[in-house]
Amino acid sequence: MTEVVSVQFRGRGKSYFFDPAGITASRGDLLVVETSKGLELGECTQGNHAVEDSAVVQPLRSVVRAATGDDRRVAEINRRREKEAFGIAEEKIAKHKLEMKLVDVECSFEGNKILFFFTADGRVDFRELVKDLAGVFRTRIELRQIGVRDEAKMLGGIGICGQPFCCSRFLTDFQPVSTKMAKTQSMSLNPAKISGCCGRLMCCLRYEQEAYEDLLKRAPKTGAYVETEDGYGCVQQVNLLRQMVKVRMDGAGEAVVHNYSVEDIAEVPGGRPPEGEQPPHVLQPRPKKEEVAEEADDEWAMPPLFAEETAGERTEEASAAAGSESRSARRRSNRGGKRRSGGEKKNAPREGVAPAAEKKSGEKSAAPEKRSGEKKSGSARRSGGEKKNAPREGVAPAASGGEKSHRPRRSRPNRPRKSDNGGKE
């Protein structure tokens, strides 16, 4: 067993093993490692761990140091240089009229080399382009032609499934994909539906092939003659993922199609027998699964949505409701808001309440005793026997309707009149 750390460069591609050289690294740390191209800055994808000796490619290079602040600044400067180099390279390609597409630019950590990645349909003579780029950057220039799959892996994107590209996420190597895999997986052979954004067959067809091959071993083929619990029939359609088949039953009348699980049918060897022969019985009865009673104290059981009421709780709620009704009835009776029955008079006295007339007469009889020394005001209410226009005590009666009352005039002193000449008479 060998202790190693896994390091990935530029966040893409596969991880490489390096000797930790006494450094303890964890996932996400930036490390400066020694490579065949010189020093490079990479990200640790897995900390110190042991692997088999056969999995290590010799010679095993070591980790130089954990990335410092200066190393991070150098990496930032290199990212800016890459953006500038990309724009300059595109101008030079257009100037030389080369049939090539620039994909990405990488600048080494030590800054002694710039690597340009491009795609092209055929071979491209870029010798003059390299001379121009070397004269601009004053460093070593390298141009590398890549395929369309590597281009999609570098640039990234969203596939037709709505997920990021598999090649840019977790696939480390590209494996060959054939149209036979799409046919095995019951997919449409339309190139637009089974091709990725790169224009090649989708990579997921390759790494899902093993699962479909395993499902095909247990499922019958389309057109196979099978025996079911309802009789014999021919398989019309197979759903590999759900492990369900559609069987057209044999019969003299109208064709009937039933759905069965793969485990509930058995393929008849040799196919449909000749007419007049009885097909062999090959379906083995499956043991029925025993229903296990749910335990009351099962910790995985779903709790009830509503708590069940006990008899004691229902009794307490009923008594509380009855008490609240009696209290509301008493309040209504005290306010006099209770509805009266048809035979009850409006002003009839209620139980336990003194009649209103008696109460008022008692109050009036007591009032003169308290106000014996005060005079009665004219707005005081008169008793029932007193007339409205009856003379009050100590006041003369008013004149009758036919006679007019005359009041004596007060004598006024004679005032001197002014004469025409303004003198006094």
Side-chain angles (χ1 to χ4, degrees):
M1 301 293 286
T2 306
E3 184 181 5
V4 297
V5 293
S6 300
V7 179
Q8 189 180 48
F9 298 101
R10 302 183 67 87
R12 59 173 179 250
K14 68 177 184 179
S15 300
Y16 300 89
F17 294 145
F18 289 90
D19 183 9
I23 297 176
T24 302
S26 58
R27 184 174 183 178
D29 293 346
L30 293 179
L31 304 174
V32 178
V33 297
E34 180 184 357
T35 66
S36 59
K37 303 175 184 179
L39 296 181
E40 291 291 341
L41 181 68
E43 182 182 358
C44 178
T45 57
Q46 188 174 0
N48 301 53
H49 62 283
V51 296
E52 297 289 341
D53 295 337
S54 58
V56 178
V57 178
Q58 298 297 336
L60 183 63
R61 302 184 184 272
S62 62
V63 177
V64 177
R65 62 179 180 272
T68 60
D70 294 337
D71 296 332
R72 296 174 187 270
R73 283 193 292 271
V74 170
E76 184 64 26
I77 293 172
N78 290 335
R79 300 293 87 79
R80 291 199 294 266
R81 289 185 63 190
E82 290 171 358
K83 292 181 181 179
E84 296 175 1
F86 192 92
I88 295 173
E90 282 189 330
E91 294 177 0
K92 296 296 182 180
I93 291 172
K95 179 181 177 181
H96 291 277
K97 298 180 181 181
L98 298 176
E99 297 295 331
M100 56 189 294
K101 177 185 175 183
L102 188 64
V103 176
D104 197 8
V105 179
E106 286 186 8
C107 184
S108 64
F109 180 72
E110 296 176 332
N112 56 359
K113 185 176 68 173
I114 301 178
L115 184 61
F116 296 88
F117 297 94
F118 70 94
T119 59
D121 294 335
R123 295 180 63 88
V124 179
D125 185 7
F126 48 76
R127 287 176 291 182
E128 296 297 328
L129 176 63
V130 173
K131 291 179 182 179
D132 288 352
L133 294 176
V136 173
F137 298 107
R138 301 293 181 180
T139 186
R140 183 181 175 185
I141 303 297
E142 182 178 344
L143 273 75
R144 184 176 299 176
Q145 185 174 359
I146 60 176
V148 289
R149 284 191 171 184
D150 295 297
E151 178 187 3
K153 183 175 183 177
M154 287 184 176
L155 299 179
I158 304 297
I160 60 175
C161 59
Q163 297 291 329
F165 291 161
C166 299
C167 55
S168 62
R169 279 194 299 166
F170 58 88
L171 289 183
T172 57
D173 298 320
F174 290 108
Q175 299 179 357
V177 184
S178 63
T179 311
K180 182 181 178 181
M181 298 178 182
K183 189 175 181 181
T184 303
Q185 300 175 24
S186 301
M187 297 189 67
S188 173
L189 298 182
N190 185 359
K193 294 185 178 180
I194 60 176
S195 299
C197 296
C198 59
R200 301 291 188 268
L201 293 176
M202 293 185 294
C203 299
C204 56
L205 295 175
R206 177 65 185 88
Y207 63 79
E208 290 179 356
Q209 180 67 13
E210 296 180 1
Y212 277 91
E213 290 177 354
D214 181 63
L215 295 174
L216 281 171
K217 295 177 181 178
R218 293 177 286 178
K221 295 182 180 180
T222 303
Y225 191 70
V226 296
E227 180 186 2
T228 68
E229 56 184 8
D230 299 325
Y232 295 88
C234 184
V235 176
Q236 296 294 311
Q237 187 178 356
V238 181
N239 190 331
L240 288 178
L241 295 180
R242 295 188 177 184
Q243 290 289 282
M244 299 290 293
V245 294
K246 289 185 177 180
V247 180
R248 183 167 59 87
M249 308 304 297
D250 290 345
E254 185 180 358
V256 180
V257 178
H258 291 168
N259 292 331
Y260 295 98
S261 174
V262 173
E263 299 177 353
D264 296 334
I265 63 175
E267 186 174 358
V268 177
R272 186 187 296 273
E275 190 174 353
E277 292 187 8
Q278 183 68 19
H281 179 69
V282 293
L283 181 63
Q284 302 293 334
R286 291 177 55 194
K288 295 183 178 180
K289 296 182 179 180
E290 298 180 358
E291 297 181 359
V292 181
E294 296 182 358
E295 299 181 0
D297 56 346
D298 187 7
E299 60 180 0
W300 294 98
M302 183 177 178
L305 297 179
F306 302 98
E308 298 180 358
E309 296 179 354
T310 59
E313 291 177 354
R314 287 195 293 270
T315 306
E316 291 179 1
E317 290 181 0
S319 60
S324 63
E325 290 179 1
S326 62
R327 285 194 296 271
S328 61
R330 285 198 298 270
R331 284 196 296 269
R332 287 196 299 270
S333 64
N334 293 337
R335 290 195 305 265
K338 186 177 181 182
R339 295 182 178 179
R340 301 173 182 87
S341 59
E344 187 181 358
K345 294 182 179 180
K346 183 176 182 181
N347 295 327
R350 291 175 292 174
E351 277 184 326
V353 181
E358 297 177 4
K359 188 175 181 180
K360 289 182 179 178
S361 63
E363 290 177 358
K364 286 185 178 180
S365 60
E369 295 177 3
K370 293 181 181 180
R371 302 177 182 178
S372 58
E374 298 179 2
K375 294 181 180 180
K376 293 184 179 180
S377 62
S379 61
R381 294 182 180 178
R382 301 172 180 86
S383 60
E386 186 182 357
K387 293 182 179 180
K388 184 176 182 180
N389 296 325
R392 287 178 288 175
E393 233 176 294
V395 180
S400 61
E403 300 179 1
K404 294 183 179 179
S405 61
H406 297 281
R407 295 182 181 179
R409 288 186 175 181
R410 295 190 320 185
S411 61
R412 297 181 180 177
N414 293 330
R415 296 180 180 178
R417 292 181 297 174
K418 293 181 181 182
S419 60
D420 297 336
N421 58 3
K424 293 183 182 180
E425 293 180 357

